[in-house]
Amino acid sequence: MSNYRDMANDILKDIGGKDNVINVNHCATRLRIQYKAKDQIDDNSVSKIEGVAGTVIRDDEYQIVIGTDVANVYNEFVKSIGDVSNNKSSNIKFTWKHLGQTIIDFISGTFVPILGVLVAAGLVSAVLNIGVSFFGLSTKSGTYTILNGIYEAGYYFLPVYLGYSAAKKLNMNPMMGAFLGATLVYKTIDSAKGLEFLGLSVPQIQYNTSVIPILLGVLFMKLIDVGMDKITPKSIKFFTKPLITMLIVVPVTLLWLGPLGFQIGTIIANILSFVNLKLGWISVGLMGALTPLLVMTGTNQALFPLCIASVASIGYDAFVLPGMLSANVAVGAAALAVSVTTNESKKKQLA
C-alpha cells in the first residue's frame, strides 16, 4: 500500500484514537500497540484495512500484521499520535510480567532500527567471500578494501548505532547515546592497557562489536539526564547538561558498567555454546520449533543481544540464528504451499 498516512490514520481511528494508545513499536512485520481499553478496539474494521494481513490481541498489546512495509506505517502512525506519555497510568502496580514486557520493549525498540545495518554488513561479507572464492577477487585490491570496509564498519561501530537507538528509545537526545558509543570505541580507550581515571584502574575491555556495555551505559545516562533536567537552570542547561552528563557517565561506564556488561555478554555466549554442545542438533530444532511462538509474543526481540554477544565473544552463533533460519524456511514453505494450492486471489497474494 502506497499511502501509509491514510493506513496509519485508519488504524488509529479503529483502535479508539490516540487517547487509547500507551505506546507503539514494531518488529519486522508487525505494528505493536499497547492500549488502555480493549473495548475501544474495532478488530473487525482494522482487519479490513487495505494492507493489513491480520491482527493478534495479546494481553495489553494489539499486534497488526502488515509485512515489510511496517516501518513506513509506524513512522506515519507516530506522527499521528504525537506525544502519548500522559496516557500512561501513574498507578501501575509492579509485576514481573510488566517488567519483562518493559525489558522486551526496550530491546525491541533499540535493536529493530539497526537490523538493516547488520543485514547489509553480513550480506556484503557474503559477497566478498563469493568474489574471492569464485571470481578471483584479490584481497589486496581496492574493491576488496572498500567492500570489506563496509562489512567491518557495520559491526565495529555497533556501540555507536546502539547508543543512538537506545537513547532515542528512552526519549533522550540520540546523539548523546551515539557520543557515548563513539567514546567507547575510540582508539585510545577501546582495548587500552594500563588506563586509569583519577587514580582508578580502568579494566581492559574490547568495546567494538559489544552490545551490553553500551546498553547499560545509556540506561545510566537516562538516570543522569532526568536528574540534570530537575536541577539545571534553563539558562545554562544547553551546555552544562551534556557536559556534566558525559563527565559522569563515561567514567562510570568504563570503570564499572562496561566491564559488567562485558562479563554478562561472555556468560550468555558461554551458556548458549554449552547448550548447543550438549544438545547438539536438538537444541537448534527446539529453537526452530519455538521461533513462531516467540515471534507471536514478541519475545524473539530479547534474543538479539544474545546472538550478537555470541558473535562478539566466539565469532559465531551456532544455536539461535540457525534455529530461527530453519523456522523461517519452514514457514516460507508453508506459505508457498498455500499460494500454490488456494484458489482465492486475496489469500494467494497474502501467502
Side-chain angles (χ1 to χ4, degrees):
M1 183 176 180
S2 58
N3 198 336
Y4 303 115
R5 180 179 300 175
D6 290 345
M7 186 176 179
N9 289 335
D10 289 343
I11 292 174
L12 184 59
K13 179 187 68 176
D14 291 335
I15 64 170
K18 68 177 185 180
D19 291 336
N20 197 35
V21 178
I22 296 177
N23 191 27
V24 60
N25 209 331
H26 74 89
C27 57
T29 59
R30 303 183 182 205
L31 189 67
R32 298 173 180 266
I33 304 169
Q34 285 183 283
Y35 57 84
K36 293 174 66 176
K38 182 178 178 180
D39 57 3
Q40 294 187 28
I41 297 176
D42 188 346
D43 185 57
N44 186 50
S45 296
V46 174
S47 300
K48 293 180 180 178
I49 296 175
E50 184 182 353
V52 172
T55 62
V56 178
I57 297 180
R58 183 183 66 85
D59 297 329
D60 61 346
E61 184 178 76
Y62 187 49
Q63 302 175 12
I64 303 174
V65 184
I66 295 173
T68 53
D69 279 345
V70 65
N72 296 316
V73 179
Y74 168 80
N75 291 334
E76 294 298 333
F77 191 87
V78 170
K79 293 178 184 177
S80 297
I81 63 175
D83 184 11
V84 294
S85 58
N86 292 330
N87 291 353
K88 296 181 180 180
S89 176
S90 59
N91 56 359
I92 296 177
K93 295 181 179 179
F94 171 83
T95 63
W96 289 109
K97 183 178 181 180
H98 178 70
L99 176 62
Q101 290 175 343
T102 301
I103 293 173
I104 291 174
D105 178 65
F106 170 68
I107 293 174
S108 174
T110 299
F111 278 86
V112 168
I114 71 165
L115 289 182
V117 174
L118 302 182
V119 169
L123 291 179
V124 167
S125 176
V127 170
L128 275 177
N129 289 330
I130 293 172
V132 172
S133 301
F134 299 102
F135 296 98
L137 178 63
S138 172
T139 57
K140 297 181 179 179
S141 67
T143 301
Y144 181 92
T145 299
I146 292 174
L147 293 179
N148 188 63
I150 299 174
Y151 161 64
E152 293 284 354
Y155 288 92
Y156 186 91
F157 296 105
L158 187 57
V160 180
Y161 313 139
L162 284 173
Y164 182 96
S165 186
K168 185 176 181 179
K169 175 61 181 176
L170 294 174
N171 296 317
M172 291 190 295
N173 180 354
M175 294 306 296
M176 293 299 293
F179 190 10
L180 177 61
T183 302
L184 295 182
V185 301
Y186 190 66
K187 59 183 179 180
T188 59
I189 293 179
D190 184 33
S191 301
K193 295 181 180 179
L195 200 62
E196 59 87 22
F197 181 79
L198 297 179
L200 298 174
S201 177
V202 176
Q204 181 183 356
I205 302 294
Q206 182 178 354
Y207 287 110
N208 64 75
T209 73
S210 68
V211 174
I212 300 179
I214 183 63
L215 296 182
L216 295 180
V218 173
L219 286 170
F220 178 65
M221 179 183 285
K222 176 63 176 180
L223 297 178
I224 302 300
D225 185 79
V226 171
M228 292 299 298
D229 266 338
K230 292 181 179 179
I231 65 175
T232 308
K234 291 184 179 180
S235 58
I236 61 173
K237 182 179 293 187
F238 176 76
F239 60 90
T240 58
K241 181 181 174 181
L243 169 65
I244 297 175
T245 296
M246 292 303 290
L247 288 179
I248 295 175
V249 173
V250 171
V252 170
T253 302
L254 292 177
L255 289 168
W256 297 291
L257 297 180
L260 174 62
F262 183 80
Q263 290 300 321
I264 292 175
T266 302
I267 291 172
I268 290 172
N270 290 339
I271 291 175
L272 292 177
S273 179
F274 176 80
V275 171
N276 183 242
L277 289 174
K278 291 298 181 181
L279 297 182
W281 64 269
I282 296 178
S283 66
V284 180
L286 289 174
M287 178 56 64
L290 291 173
T291 291
L293 178 62
L294 296 174
V295 171
M296 283 189 290
T297 58
T299 48
N300 64 307
Q301 310 291 347
L303 298 178
F304 291 141
L306 310 187
C307 301
I308 299 177
S310 181
V311 172
S313 178
I314 60 178
Y316 60 91
D317 168 34
F319 176 30
V320 177
L321 294 180
M324 287 187 164
L325 174 62
S326 63
N328 287 338
V329 171
V331 172
L336 180 62
V338 171
S339 69
V340 171
T341 58
T342 185
N343 293 322
E344 299 179 32
S345 59
K346 188 174 182 180
K347 184 180 291 186
K348 185 183 290 289
Q349 182 182 7
L350 175 60

